[in-house]
Amino acid sequence: MTVTRQPDQQHPAAPDLAQLLRPVVRESSVSEVAKRLLDHLSAGDIRPGTRLPAERQLAEALGVARSSVRGALSALDVLGIIEIRPGSGSYVREGTSEFLPRAINWGLMLGQRRTQDLVEVRTYMEGVSARLAAERATDEDVARLEEHLRHMRDAGGDVKAFIDADIAFHLECASIARNSVLSDILHSIRALLQVWMERVSDIEGTVSGTLCEHGAVLQAIRDRDPEAADRAMAEHMQMASARLRASMQTSS
Protein backbone atom coordinates (compact mmCIF):
# COMPACT_ATOMS: atom_id res chain seq x y z
CA MET A 1 0.00 0.00 0.00
CA THR A 2 1.31 3.42 -0.95
CA VAL A 3 1.23 5.95 1.85
CA THR A 4 0.79 9.56 0.82
CA ARG A 5 2.83 11.80 3.05
CA GLN A 6 1.13 15.01 4.15
CA PRO A 7 3.04 18.30 3.82
CA ASP A 8 4.60 19.71 6.96
CA GLN A 9 2.12 22.42 7.96
CA GLN A 10 4.77 24.37 9.85
CA HIS A 11 6.86 24.99 6.75
CA PRO A 12 5.81 26.16 3.30
CA ALA A 13 6.22 23.48 0.67
CA ALA A 14 7.99 24.00 -2.63
CA PRO A 15 5.77 22.13 -5.11
CA ASP A 16 6.76 24.24 -8.09
CA LEU A 17 10.52 24.18 -7.63
CA ALA A 18 10.95 21.13 -9.82
CA GLN A 19 9.21 23.10 -12.60
CA LEU A 20 11.49 26.08 -12.10
CA LEU A 21 14.69 24.06 -12.38
CA ARG A 22 16.14 23.19 -15.77
CA PRO A 23 18.65 20.44 -16.48
CA VAL A 24 22.29 21.35 -15.95
CA VAL A 25 23.67 21.57 -19.46
CA ARG A 26 27.35 21.24 -18.69
CA GLU A 27 28.93 18.21 -17.05
CA SER A 28 27.31 17.87 -13.67
CA SER A 29 29.21 19.23 -10.70
CA VAL A 30 28.49 20.24 -7.15
CA SER A 31 29.20 23.91 -7.88
CA GLU A 32 26.87 24.01 -10.90
CA VAL A 33 24.01 22.48 -8.94
CA ALA A 34 24.61 24.78 -5.97
CA LYS A 35 24.73 27.81 -8.27
CA ARG A 36 21.39 26.86 -9.84
CA LEU A 37 19.76 26.46 -6.43
CA LEU A 38 21.31 29.71 -5.18
CA ASP A 39 19.99 31.60 -8.21
CA HIS A 40 16.44 30.67 -7.24
CA LEU A 41 17.04 31.39 -3.57
CA SER A 42 18.45 34.86 -4.22
CA ALA A 43 15.74 35.62 -6.78
CA GLY A 44 13.08 35.01 -4.14
CA ASP A 45 11.57 31.97 -5.85
CA ILE A 46 11.99 30.02 -2.63
CA ARG A 47 10.93 31.57 0.66
CA PRO A 48 12.78 31.21 3.99
CA GLY A 49 11.45 28.19 5.87
CA THR A 50 10.61 26.32 2.66
CA ARG A 51 11.32 22.59 2.60
CA LEU A 52 13.17 21.72 -0.58
CA PRO A 53 12.14 18.76 -2.74
CA ALA A 54 13.83 15.44 -2.04
CA GLU A 55 17.25 14.70 -3.52
CA ARG A 56 15.71 12.37 -6.09
CA GLN A 57 13.29 15.06 -7.33
CA LEU A 58 16.04 17.67 -7.53
CA ALA A 59 18.32 15.27 -9.38
CA GLU A 60 15.61 14.48 -11.92
CA ALA A 61 14.72 18.16 -12.43
CA LEU A 62 18.36 19.12 -12.93
CA GLY A 63 19.29 16.04 -14.92
CA VAL A 64 22.23 15.19 -12.67
CA ALA A 65 23.26 12.39 -10.35
CA ARG A 66 21.93 12.41 -6.81
CA SER A 67 25.52 12.59 -5.55
CA SER A 68 25.87 16.04 -7.17
CA VAL A 69 22.68 17.22 -5.50
CA ARG A 70 23.79 15.78 -2.17
CA GLY A 71 27.14 17.56 -2.42
CA ALA A 72 25.51 20.86 -3.36
CA LEU A 73 23.06 20.66 -0.46
CA SER A 74 25.90 19.87 1.91
CA ALA A 75 27.84 22.91 0.67
CA LEU A 76 24.83 25.19 1.11
CA ASP A 77 24.33 23.73 4.57
CA VAL A 78 27.93 24.53 5.53
CA LEU A 79 27.46 28.09 4.26
CA GLY A 80 24.39 28.38 6.47
CA ILE A 81 21.99 28.97 3.60
CA ILE A 82 19.97 25.81 4.16
CA GLU A 83 19.54 23.45 7.08
CA ILE A 84 19.62 19.70 6.55
CA ARG A 85 17.45 17.88 9.10
CA PRO A 86 18.05 14.12 9.08
CA GLY A 87 14.84 12.25 8.49
CA SER A 88 12.94 15.43 7.63
CA GLY A 89 14.58 17.13 4.66
CA SER A 90 16.42 20.32 3.68
CA TYR A 91 15.00 23.71 4.63
CA VAL A 92 15.87 27.28 3.63
CA ARG A 93 17.03 29.05 6.77
CA GLU A 94 14.87 31.78 8.24
CA GLY A 95 17.70 34.31 8.81
CA THR A 96 17.23 36.36 5.64
CA SER A 97 19.29 39.24 7.05
CA GLU A 98 22.27 36.88 7.17
CA PHE A 99 21.66 35.44 3.71
CA LEU A 100 23.37 38.23 1.73
CA PRO A 101 26.94 37.65 2.95
CA ARG A 102 26.61 33.92 2.38
CA ALA A 103 25.18 34.46 -1.10
CA ILE A 104 27.98 36.91 -1.90
CA ASN A 105 30.59 34.48 -0.62
CA TRP A 106 29.20 31.67 -2.78
CA GLY A 107 28.88 34.07 -5.69
CA LEU A 108 32.53 35.05 -5.38
CA MET A 109 33.54 31.42 -5.44
CA LEU A 110 31.55 30.91 -8.63
CA GLY A 111 32.48 34.25 -10.23
CA GLN A 112 28.87 35.34 -10.60
CA ARG A 113 28.20 38.47 -12.63
CA ARG A 114 25.87 39.76 -9.91
CA THR A 115 28.78 39.98 -7.50
CA GLN A 116 30.86 41.86 -10.05
CA ASP A 117 28.02 44.35 -10.39
CA LEU A 118 28.09 44.89 -6.63
CA VAL A 119 31.85 45.47 -6.75
CA GLU A 120 31.41 47.98 -9.57
CA VAL A 121 28.77 49.94 -7.67
CA ARG A 122 30.82 49.91 -4.51
CA THR A 123 33.82 51.31 -6.40
CA TYR A 124 31.80 54.30 -7.59
CA MET A 125 30.24 54.99 -4.20
CA GLU A 126 33.56 54.82 -2.38
CA GLY A 127 34.99 57.47 -4.71
CA VAL A 128 32.06 59.80 -4.03
CA SER A 129 32.42 59.12 -0.31
CA ALA A 130 36.12 60.03 -0.29
CA ARG A 131 35.53 63.21 -2.31
CA LEU A 132 32.78 64.43 0.01
CA ALA A 133 34.82 63.46 3.09
CA ALA A 134 37.70 65.63 1.87
CA GLU A 135 35.32 68.55 1.43
CA ARG A 136 33.60 68.19 4.80
CA ALA A 137 36.07 66.63 7.25
CA THR A 138 36.81 68.32 10.57
CA ASP A 139 40.02 67.80 12.52
CA GLU A 140 38.12 65.36 14.76
CA ASP A 141 37.00 63.39 11.70
CA VAL A 142 40.57 63.11 10.45
CA ALA A 143 41.69 61.96 13.89
CA ARG A 144 39.20 59.10 13.78
CA LEU A 145 40.41 58.01 10.34
CA GLU A 146 43.99 58.11 11.63
CA GLU A 147 42.95 55.86 14.51
CA HIS A 148 41.41 53.30 12.15
CA LEU A 149 44.56 53.26 10.04
CA ARG A 150 46.65 52.87 13.18
CA HIS A 151 44.56 49.86 14.19
CA MET A 152 45.19 48.35 10.75
CA ARG A 153 48.94 48.80 11.21
CA ASP A 154 48.85 47.39 14.73
CA ALA A 155 46.85 44.29 13.74
CA GLY A 156 49.98 42.36 12.86
CA GLY A 157 48.99 38.81 11.97
CA ASP A 158 45.47 39.19 13.36
CA VAL A 159 43.49 39.00 10.12
CA LYS A 160 40.14 39.68 11.77
CA ALA A 161 41.43 42.79 13.54
CA PHE A 162 42.90 44.07 10.26
CA ILE A 163 39.66 43.48 8.36
CA ASP A 164 37.56 45.11 11.08
CA ALA A 165 39.78 48.21 11.04
CA ASP A 166 39.74 48.31 7.23
CA ILE A 167 35.93 48.22 7.15
CA ALA A 168 35.75 50.82 9.93
CA PHE A 169 37.97 53.14 7.84
CA HIS A 170 35.63 52.95 4.85
CA LEU A 171 32.48 53.37 6.92
CA GLU A 172 34.09 56.34 8.69
CA CYS A 173 34.71 57.97 5.31
CA ALA A 174 31.03 57.52 4.52
CA SER A 175 30.10 59.07 7.86
CA ILE A 176 32.40 62.04 7.31
CA ALA A 177 30.82 62.60 3.89
CA ARG A 178 27.67 63.56 5.79
CA ASN A 179 25.33 62.18 3.17
CA SER A 180 22.79 59.94 4.87
CA VAL A 181 21.77 58.06 1.72
CA LEU A 182 25.36 57.29 0.74
CA SER A 183 26.20 56.25 4.28
CA ASP A 184 23.16 53.96 4.51
CA ILE A 185 24.00 52.26 1.22
CA LEU A 186 27.62 51.63 2.16
CA HIS A 187 26.58 50.32 5.56
CA SER A 188 24.08 48.01 3.88
CA ILE A 189 26.83 46.37 1.81
CA ARG A 190 29.12 45.95 4.80
CA ALA A 191 28.77 42.21 4.21
CA LEU A 192 30.38 42.67 0.81
CA LEU A 193 33.33 44.50 2.36
CA GLN A 194 33.72 41.72 4.93
CA VAL A 195 33.65 38.93 2.36
CA TRP A 196 35.88 40.88 -0.03
CA MET A 197 38.63 41.29 2.58
CA GLU A 198 38.34 37.70 3.77
CA ARG A 199 38.76 36.52 0.20
CA VAL A 200 41.90 38.55 -0.53
CA SER A 201 43.61 38.29 2.87
CA ASP A 202 45.87 35.46 1.65
CA ILE A 203 46.96 37.22 -1.54
CA GLU A 204 50.58 38.34 -1.29
CA GLY A 205 50.94 42.08 -0.83
CA THR A 206 47.37 42.61 0.39
CA VAL A 207 48.29 44.03 3.80
CA SER A 208 51.14 46.28 2.67
CA GLY A 209 49.26 47.46 -0.41
CA THR A 210 46.06 48.13 1.51
CA LEU A 211 47.91 50.13 4.17
CA CYS A 212 49.65 52.25 1.52
CA GLU A 213 46.43 52.87 -0.38
CA HIS A 214 44.48 53.81 2.74
CA GLY A 215 47.32 56.11 3.74
CA ALA A 216 46.99 57.97 0.44
CA VAL A 217 43.23 58.39 0.94
CA LEU A 218 43.77 59.64 4.48
CA GLN A 219 46.40 62.15 3.36
CA ALA A 220 44.11 63.57 0.69
CA ILE A 221 41.27 63.96 3.20
CA ARG A 222 43.68 65.49 5.71
CA ASP A 223 44.72 67.99 3.01
CA ARG A 224 41.03 68.68 2.24
CA ASP A 225 41.74 67.86 -1.41
CA PRO A 226 38.61 66.29 -3.00
CA GLU A 227 40.25 65.55 -6.35
CA ALA A 228 43.20 63.79 -4.73
CA ALA A 229 40.87 61.86 -2.40
CA ASP A 230 38.80 60.66 -5.37
CA ARG A 231 41.95 59.60 -7.24
CA ALA A 232 43.43 57.85 -4.21
CA MET A 233 40.23 55.93 -3.55
CA ALA A 234 39.93 55.01 -7.24
CA GLU A 235 43.49 53.65 -7.13
CA HIS A 236 42.67 51.69 -3.99
CA MET A 237 39.53 50.23 -5.56
CA GLN A 238 41.43 49.31 -8.72
CA MET A 239 44.12 47.48 -6.76
CA ALA A 240 41.59 45.85 -4.43
CA SER A 241 39.58 44.63 -7.42
CA ALA A 242 42.76 43.16 -8.93
CA ARG A 243 43.44 41.31 -5.69
CA LEU A 244 39.86 40.02 -5.68
CA ARG A 245 40.22 38.73 -9.24
CA ALA A 246 43.47 37.02 -8.27
CA SER A 247 41.70 35.38 -5.35
CA MET A 248 38.91 34.11 -7.61
CA GLN A 249 41.39 32.71 -10.12
CA THR A 250 43.31 30.98 -7.35
CA SER A 251 40.19 29.25 -6.07
CA SER A 252 38.83 28.28 -9.51
Side-chain angles (χ1 to χ4, degrees), residues 105 159 163 192-202 247:
N105 198 15
V159 175
I163 292 174
L192 174 59
L193 310 186
Q194 178 81 26
V195 171
W196 186 326
M197 285 302 300
E198 289 174 353
R199 289 282 300 177
V200 304
S201 61
D202 292 334
S247 170

Side-chain angles (χ1 to χ4, degrees), residues 74-83 91-95 98-99 102:
S74 295
L76 295 177
D77 182 39
V78 169
L79 287 172
I81 295 172
I82 68 170
E83 178 184 4
Y91 297 80
V92 180
R93 287 187 181 271
E94 296 284 352
E98 296 299 318
F99 178 73
R102 297 178 188 127

Side-chain angles (χ1 to χ4, degrees), residues 35 37-46 99 103 112 114:
K35 179 179 182 296
L37 292 172
L38 183 59
D39 283 343
H40 288 292
L41 289 168
S42 58
D45 295 330
I46 312 172
F99 178 73
Q112 291 186 15
R114 184 175 305 160

Side-chain angles (χ1 to χ4, degrees), residues 113-206:
R113 177 64 200 175
R114 184 175 305 160
T115 300
Q116 293 300 323
D117 290 343
L118 282 170
V119 170
E120 186 176 87
V121 171
R122 182 213 166 184
T123 298
Y124 174 77
M125 290 190 298
E126 292 282 8
V128 175
S129 176
R131 174 181 286 273
L132 291 176
E135 293 176 355
R136 301 170 180 176
T138 65
D139 290 342
E140 291 77 13
D141 293 331
V142 172
R144 289 197 301 275
L145 279 179
E146 291 172 339
E147 183 177 0
H148 294 315
L149 186 57
R150 183 165 57 253
H151 287 161
M152 291 174 67
R153 291 196 179 104
D154 293 344
D158 189 337
V159 175
K160 182 180 185 304
F162 183 86
I163 292 174
D164 288 346
D166 185 324
I167 293 173
F169 183 97
H170 284 275
L171 296 182
E172 191 70 64
C173 281
S175 177
I176 295 171
R178 291 175 173 78
N179 182 299
S180 61
V181 174
L182 179 63
S183 181
D184 287 347
I185 293 173
L186 286 173
H187 274 77
S188 73
I189 61 171
R190 179 173 181 161
L192 174 59
L193 310 186
Q194 178 81 26
V195 171
W196 186 326
M197 285 302 300
E198 289 174 353
R199 289 282 300 177
V200 304
S201 61
D202 292 334
I203 299 296
E204 184 177 356
T206 290

